[in-house]
């Protein structure tokens, strides 16, 4: 059986902040990795978000408001192109990787709604190495950022917080997970459905922990790959 990892879409956005309902896209990448992890297809966007890029966000991805205004594509045009490019991959049956997928796909969903663009209708199949890693190695201590998780599995991540670098690294991480854990080599749609269940269980476990040790009223964010 051909693995979903043999031809794998990758997706990442860099934004103006962390609140998925309010942030704007500043840069984005959609690409396709071959079976050896080489970037065979790439699409990159630098976007004028139409708002000021806060200093905290600029410190993460290095894109200033001035540069975005000078070199960036109008946000509505960029969002439309990103949605269209991802839709073509899904229509072709290509799984798309995004690390912490609910962030990237929810931001894109909200941006599409903001500009009156028809968004992705239930993106599927999606591969999220964060959800998968939490499932196959539940009790590993420490952070699980993209950079830390790549280091753990021996996957190179150069130029972190660059959309193309992060997207490609997340895809190579997914491919490495498939090599190490044969139970992941199932049809991509089946793995997608598994991740829906895993993500919910992980959120419930986190919520129970937080209520037990910190805040009895804490509620974990749910919904995967879009919230």
């Amino acid at each position: 059986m051909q693995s979903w990892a043999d031809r794998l879409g990758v997706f990442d956005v860099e934004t103006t902040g962390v609140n998925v309902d309010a942030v704007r896209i500043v840069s984005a990448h959609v690409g396709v990795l071959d079976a050896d992890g080489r970037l065979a297809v790439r699409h990159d966007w630098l976007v004028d978000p139409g708002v000021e890029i806060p200093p905290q966000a600029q410190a993460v991805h290095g894109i200033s408001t001035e540069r975005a205004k000078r070199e960036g594509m109008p946000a509505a045009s960029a969002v439309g192109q990103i949605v269209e490019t991802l839709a073509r991959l899904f229509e072709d049956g290509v799984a798309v990787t995004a690390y912490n997928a609910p962030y990237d796909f929810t931001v894109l969903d909200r941006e599409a709604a903001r500009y009156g663009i028809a968004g992705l209708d239930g993106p599927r199949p999606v591969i999220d190495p964060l959800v998968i890693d939490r499932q196959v190695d539940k009790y590993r201590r420490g952070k699980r950022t993209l950079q830390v998780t790549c280091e753990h599995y021996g996957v190179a991540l150069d130029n972190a917080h660059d959309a193309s670098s992060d997207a490609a690294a997340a895809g190579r991480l997914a491919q490495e997970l498939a090599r190490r854990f044969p139970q992941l080599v199932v049809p991509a749609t089946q793995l997608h459905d598994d991740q829906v269940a895993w993500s919910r269980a992980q959120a419930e476990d986190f919520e129970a922990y937080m209520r037990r040790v910190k805040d009895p009223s804490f509620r974990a964010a749910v919904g995967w790959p879009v919230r």
Side-chain angles (χ1 to χ4, degrees):
M1 180 177 66
Q2 185 179 27
S3 170
W4 49 261
D6 292 340
R7 183 169 181 256
L8 183 61
V10 295
F11 171 48
D12 185 76
V13 296
E14 297 296 325
T15 69
T16 57
V18 295
N19 182 343
V20 294
D21 293 315
V23 299
R24 308 298 178 89
I25 295 172
V26 176
S27 65
H29 175 90
V30 177
V32 177
L33 301 181
D34 66 16
D36 296 318
R38 291 186 293 256
L39 198 57
V41 178
R42 66 178 301 155
H43 304 274
D44 297 281
W45 292 268
L46 178 62
V47 184
D48 177 2
V51 298
E52 293 291 314
I53 299 172
Q56 302 94 320
Q58 181 181 338
V60 172
H61 51 61
I63 301 170
S64 66
T65 302
E66 293 72 25
R67 182 187 169 201
K69 287 181 176 179
R70 183 176 64 250
E71 303 175 20
M73 177 183 293
S77 298
V79 169
Q81 290 183 11
I82 296 165
V83 169
E84 182 181 354
T85 303
L86 286 167
R88 284 200 303 267
L89 289 178
F90 289 126
E91 287 167 4
D92 290 343
V94 178
V96 176
T97 301
Y99 196 84
N100 189 21
Y103 182 80
D104 300 270
F105 281 102
T106 304
V107 167
L108 182 62
D109 177 77
R110 303 299 190 267
E111 282 276 65
R114 185 171 289 121
Y115 297 111
I117 296 167
L120 295 168
D121 183 15
R124 184 173 186 263
V126 172
I127 307 294
D128 187 341
L130 177 58
V131 171
I132 293 172
D133 178 50
R134 285 173 171 165
Q135 182 67 23
V136 299
D137 195 358
K138 293 182 180 181
Y139 304 111
R140 189 174 78 249
R141 293 181 178 272
K143 295 180 178 180
R144 301 208 190 205
T145 63
L146 175 59
Q147 188 164 2
V148 168
T149 308
C150 282
E151 289 174 358
H152 177 76
Y153 287 102
V155 174
L157 171 56
D158 301 318
N159 199 19
H161 300 295
D162 169 81
S164 60
S165 296
D166 284 3
R172 292 167 187 144
L173 177 58
Q175 291 175 321
E176 181 62 22
L177 286 164
R179 284 189 285 269
R180 295 197 187 198
F181 301 97
Q183 67 268 34
L184 301 175
V185 185
V186 296
T189 52
Q190 177 182 330
L191 184 57
H192 178 104
D193 293 342
D194 288 341
Q195 290 169 95
V196 172
W198 296 343
S199 175
R200 176 168 290 278
Q202 290 163 12
E204 290 172 351
D205 287 348
F206 182 58
E207 182 175 288
Y209 166 78
M210 291 294 289
R211 289 186 174 189
R212 186 172 64 251
V213 303
K214 290 189 178 183
D215 180 359
S217 64
F218 178 84
R219 299 193 67 177
V222 295
W224 185 96
V226 179
R227 289 188 175 140

